[in-house]
Structure formats: structure tokens, C-alpha cells
Amino acid sequence: MRTPPGPGGRRLLALLLVHSALTQVVTFVLRPTSAYRAIELDVPAAWLGALTASFAVVPLLLAVPSGQATDRFGERRVLLAGAVLLLASAVVFTADVGGAAGLVLGSVVLGTGHLLSVVGQQAAVANSAGPGRFDTAFGHYTFAASLGQAVGPALITVAGGEGALPDTRPVFAVATGVAVLLLACTAVLRVPARARPAGAAEVGGMGTLLRLPGLLRALTVSCVVLAAVDITLVYLPALGADRGLAAGTVGLLLTLRAVASMTSRFFLGRLVRRAGRRRLMLVSVALSAVAMGAVAVPMPVAGTAVLVVLLGLGLGVGQPLTMSWLAEMAPTGLRGRAMSLRLTGNRLGQVLIPSAVGLLAAGVGSAGVLWATAGALALAGAAARRLHEGGG
């Protein structure tokens, strides 16, 4: 481990948490606001689809190369490139040139900057956390990311007003200001130089990672849990509409899920020390599966709220646990590629799993989608059973 678990390492980790939160704030302001701008411009539906896909496709194409760049050139350079691109995307959106094509261009730049920032952050956390602190470090890292994802949409209301369509110009200006803060934060990051492991060039990089025992199982758990989070964001509102719940009630349920996930992430290190990483993974995935299935059963709102909290507690654990598993198992010089491989699997899961679940459960409505997702989580739990304790 290149950074000792002393005050310097803790300061670096704290700065990385701020960097993570700011990255998510910029992203979660710009993405929805660009959609509002597209609506203002009356762009065709096909362009709206392109706007959404342009952000998601970039990580699929560039995730692995970004991991290779992180391992080769160091996290700080990749983080600087990511921050510059995030600022550039905010400038593109603010300039309001090119109509729909300009929005798609800004989304591509945003997706690339977000990708580089996230891969650089995760590799830096993995290489900077002291021995035995992976779970705590990644728990706090994902907590900071979740906090940024919550603050971003709130800034849209603050800067753009509470109308059905916010005033996008001041929102883009706020995002640009936050992006400047992110660039300044990146400039003061001092990630210690990493000694290249002997023979790292001959290891073969991805080949070494793909031979790690349990890698595919860990990636499966990660992508299924992330897809389950996405599905709750879409199908809990649909389920609420089916049952006549007010939009405010559904919003409260989604907030409870998010807060519960942040709570389990914040205390992840303590939970792992008490239960062990493998057992905690099994319990969290099983809890998520049971709660997801039970949410689909008609019941009073109070009962649904309790289940949503349990669902959030379970879903909050999967992502940081798989990060810490990869950080522990991957060789020091390959951690950037390990995190990028995980990100690639997550993006594939976000595309394929919701589509497959929707097709399987098309005849039984929103409740059927949640039941099918619960089944997918149960399968992920079965995969997690064979992860050994040392690696998750």
C-alpha cells in the first residue's frame, strides 16, 4: 500500500470524498437540466433518446481504456482530465449553441468526464486506504457520492424555481460554478506516486484480473444490485400510481430508500468488522430480495415505508462491498483496470437487466417487475455465497 494509514492518508481520503460529492453534484444537476432544456427546444423524441444514451454509451466504450490510463499515468492526471471535461460540458450546456446536437455533444463530454472522475476516484481510494480499511473507505466514498446525487437535484429547484419547467440558464450557471470548485479540488489533490510492481508490464493486465477467483460472481452482484436501484426509481412511482398514492408520498418513499442506503454505507466498516464481508454481502442481498418482493404486495403506506427502508439498507451495501473486494484482490498496479471492469459490468447490467425484467413481467404490471427483480437479487445472492471471506 503506497499511502500509510496515517494523517496524510486520511486527509487524502477526506479530499477524495469531497471530490466524489462534487462530481455527483455537477452530474446530477446537468443531466436532468439538459433534459429540461431539450423540452424547451421542443426537440423530437428521438433526440431525447440520443441525449440519454450519449451519456451512458461512453462508459461502455471507454471504461476499460480509462482504467488502463489510470494505472499507467496515475490517478491525479485522470482526475484532472475528468474535472476539465466536466467543466467543459457545463460550458457547452451554458453556451446553448447547436440546438439538440449541442445538447448531445454536452452529454457526451459530461459522460466522459464523469467516467474518468469515477475511475480515478475509486482507484485512488483503493490505493490510499490503509490495510484493513477498504470497507470503511469505500463505504464513506459511496456515501459521499450518494450525498452529491441528493444535493444535485435540490440545486435545480433552488436555482431554477419550482415551476414545471425550471429556468435552465441559472441552473447551468450554478453547475459551472460547482465544476470550477471541482477543478480546484482536483488541483490540490496530491496522490503519492506509486511504485510500479516488479513485472507489472508482463502480468498482462486484464488477463490477470479475469483470472481472479470469484471475479464474475462479484461483478454479477454489483450489476444486479445497481440495476435494482434503477428499477426502484422507475417502478416505485409506477406502483404508487397503480395504487393511487400521491406523488409526494412516492417521493418520500424514494427519499427513505436513499437515506437508508446512505446509512448502511456510512457504517459499512463497522458492519463488516462485526459480521464479516461475505456474511454481510449474503444478508444484504437476501434482505434486498425479500424487501423488494414484499413491497409489491398491497399494504398500508406505513408498512411499505418500513419495507422501503429495509430495501435501502440492503441495496446500499452491495456496491461498496464489491469495490473493497476488488481493491483487496487486484494487484496494486491493476486497481484502475479492476474498477473500470466493474464499471463496465455495471453499465451492461443497467441496460440489460431492466429490459429483461420488463419483458418477463410485462403481463403482470409494476408489481410483477418488482417480483422479477427480487428473483434476480436472489440469484445474485446465490452467486455471493461462493465468494470467500478474504475477498468478500
Side-chain angles (χ1 to χ4, degrees):
M1 192 65 56
R2 69 188 187 190
T3 303
R10 287 194 292 270
R11 281 194 296 269
L12 174 59
L13 286 171
L15 198 54
L16 285 170
L17 299 187
V18 174
H19 194 282
S20 172
L22 290 174
T23 297
Q24 299 302 330
V25 169
V26 172
T27 303
F28 276 71
V29 169
L30 289 178
R31 289 199 72 190
T33 307
S34 66
Y36 285 128
R37 173 62 62 83
I39 294 171
E40 289 176 355
L41 297 175
D42 293 322
V43 303
W47 277 103
L48 281 175
L51 182 63
T52 302
S54 59
F55 178 89
V57 167
V58 169
L60 275 176
L61 298 177
L62 298 181
V64 172
S66 69
Q68 293 171 331
T70 301
D71 290 330
R72 181 174 180 181
F73 301 112
E75 296 93 327
R76 187 170 185 271
R77 292 183 181 180
V78 172
L79 289 171
L80 279 171
V84 167
L85 288 176
L86 286 172
L87 177 57
S89 69
V91 171
V92 169
F93 286 128
T94 304
D96 192 20
V97 293
L103 292 176
V104 171
L105 172 63
S107 184
V108 169
V109 177
L110 176 63
T112 307
H114 180 265
L115 167 72
L116 293 174
S117 297
V118 168
V119 171
Q121 289 161 5
Q122 292 179 9
V125 171
N127 286 316
S128 301
R133 292 185 53 83
F134 286 129
D135 299 297
T136 298
F138 279 111
H140 289 171
Y141 167 76
T142 50
F143 172 87
S146 297
L147 182 62
Q149 292 168 8
V151 170
L155 288 179
I156 296 176
T157 301
V158 172
E162 298 182 355
L165 284 178
D167 185 353
T168 57
R169 289 185 182 277
V171 178
F172 283 139
V174 167
T176 302
V178 177
V180 171
L181 286 177
L182 174 65
L183 185 58
C185 177
T186 312
V188 300
L189 269 175
R190 290 293 180 266
V191 183
R194 177 178 63 244
R196 189 173 178 83
E202 293 77 23
V203 162
M206 277 297 168
T208 299
L209 292 176
L210 293 173
R211 287 191 294 271
L212 290 176
L215 175 70
L216 291 180
R217 297 185 187 96
L219 296 181
T220 297
V221 173
S222 181
C223 76
V224 171
V225 168
L226 187 59
V229 172
D230 285 353
I231 287 168
T232 62
L233 294 176
V234 174
Y235 284 99
L236 268 182
L239 186 70
D242 291 343
R243 296 179 182 173
L245 298 180
T249 300
V250 174
L252 177 60
L253 292 175
L254 290 172
T255 300
L256 287 173
R257 185 207 61 77
V259 171
S261 291
M262 292 171 67
T263 301
S264 62
R265 288 173 171 180
F266 188 81
F267 294 105
L268 183 66
R270 297 182 187 180
L271 292 172
V272 169
R273 286 192 291 272
R274 290 193 175 190
R277 196 181 294 163
R278 178 176 173 273
R279 182 180 298 173
L280 181 60
M281 177 78 83
L282 289 172
V283 170
S284 67
V285 175
L287 178 64
S288 301
V290 172
M292 180 77 77
V295 162
V297 177
M299 67 180 68
V301 174
T304 302
V306 171
L307 289 172
V308 164
V309 169
L310 295 176
L311 177 64
L313 290 172
L315 290 177
V317 168
Q319 295 299 308
L321 272 187
T322 52
M323 289 180 193
S324 61
W325 186 91
L326 280 174
E328 184 170 307
M329 295 297 291
T332 302
L334 297 178
R335 285 178 178 149
R337 271 165 277 198
M339 297 303 164
S340 68
L341 189 63
R342 175 187 162 278
L343 181 60
T344 302
N346 282 353
R347 291 295 180 266
L348 283 172
Q350 284 180 293
V351 172
L352 298 178
I353 294 175
S355 302
V357 166
L359 288 174
L360 288 172
V364 284
S366 302
V369 171
L370 297 178
W371 284 326
T373 306
L377 285 166
L379 292 176
R385 290 181 61 188
R386 299 185 66 182
L387 289 174
H388 58 83
E389 182 65 37

